[in-house]
Amino acid sequence: MAKKYIGYDKTATEKNPATEKLVELCVKRWGAKNLGTLVVREIRGGKPGQMSVHSTGRAADVLIENKDKKKQAIEWFTNPDVVDCLGIQELHVYDSGKWGKGWRIGRGWKQWTESDNGGSAGGKWLHLEIDYTHKTGEEMEIAWRSLPKPT
């Protein structure tokens, strides 16, 4: 059975260890900078009261300044084997085209428009969302290390 996109489901009271480990591993592999994980807030550009997945602790923003490494990360995170193993739900690339684009499990890529975008057009960072596949940082790291390294 194909996994479905979760989105916002509940507000976390503490950081998600799997998300924190995912960010740590991005830092090690691509020299990423952690721009934040758990932040209880509404979606940028969303409807009033519409909560961000950052509120769940399952979202992270990472900055990969090297364009080749960033491209490698984008391709790797949307590889079906990686998606399944790590529980990737969504990836935003804000600096692709004028309004950015988003990848979502079950949908694939969508180029955004002026009226339908991720709220951060032109941003240099990647936004990642995961599901509940991994409960601990150790589980996330074991899954990460089980996958072939990106080329």
Side-chain angles (χ1 to χ4, degrees):
M1 184 172 135
K3 292 183 180 182
K4 293 185 179 185
Y5 179 67
I6 299 169
Y8 172 82
D9 59 346
K10 60 186 175 186
T11 300
T13 57
E14 58 188 25
K15 291 184 176 191
N16 180 318
T19 306
E20 299 303 312
K21 181 56 74 172
L22 179 65
V23 170
E24 179 185 316
L25 293 165
C26 287
V27 169
K28 288 179 182 175
R29 177 166 288 167
W30 293 294
K33 293 179 184 173
N34 181 359
L35 301 182
T37 56
L38 175 62
V39 179
V40 178
R41 64 171 177 79
E42 293 180 353
I43 291 177
R44 287 191 180 106
K47 297 174 185 166
Q50 187 178 11
M51 297 303 288
S52 167
V53 177
H54 279 285
S55 301
T56 70
R58 295 183 293 101
D61 291 335
V62 295
L63 176 65
I64 303 172
E65 295 185 89
N66 178 291
K67 289 181 182 182
D68 291 334
K69 289 180 180 182
K70 181 177 178 181
K71 181 180 177 197
Q72 182 187 72
I74 292 165
E75 290 173 0
W76 193 71
F77 279 124
T78 56
N79 174 297
D81 292 335
V82 175
V83 168
D84 187 54
C85 187
L86 299 184
I88 304 297
Q89 286 269 295
E90 189 153 277
L91 173 71
H92 298 175
V93 183
Y94 299 110
D95 61 351
S96 174
K98 186 171 182 179
W99 300 103
K101 67 181 179 179
W103 176 93
R104 179 177 286 177
I105 192 163
R107 181 194 70 202
W109 286 105
K110 177 180 182 181
Q111 194 69 45
W112 292 331
T113 66
E114 181 178 6
S115 61
D116 180 19
N117 63 68
S120 297
K124 302 296 182 194
W125 68 93
L126 299 178
H127 169 87
L128 282 163
E129 297 176 16
I130 62 172
D131 63 17
Y132 294 104
T133 297
H134 305 292
K135 306 293 186 225
T136 68
E138 182 179 57
E139 288 177 4
M140 177 59 81
E141 185 163 6
I142 289 168
W144 175 284
R145 297 200 184 287
S146 75
L147 292 162
K149 289 185 178 181
T151 55

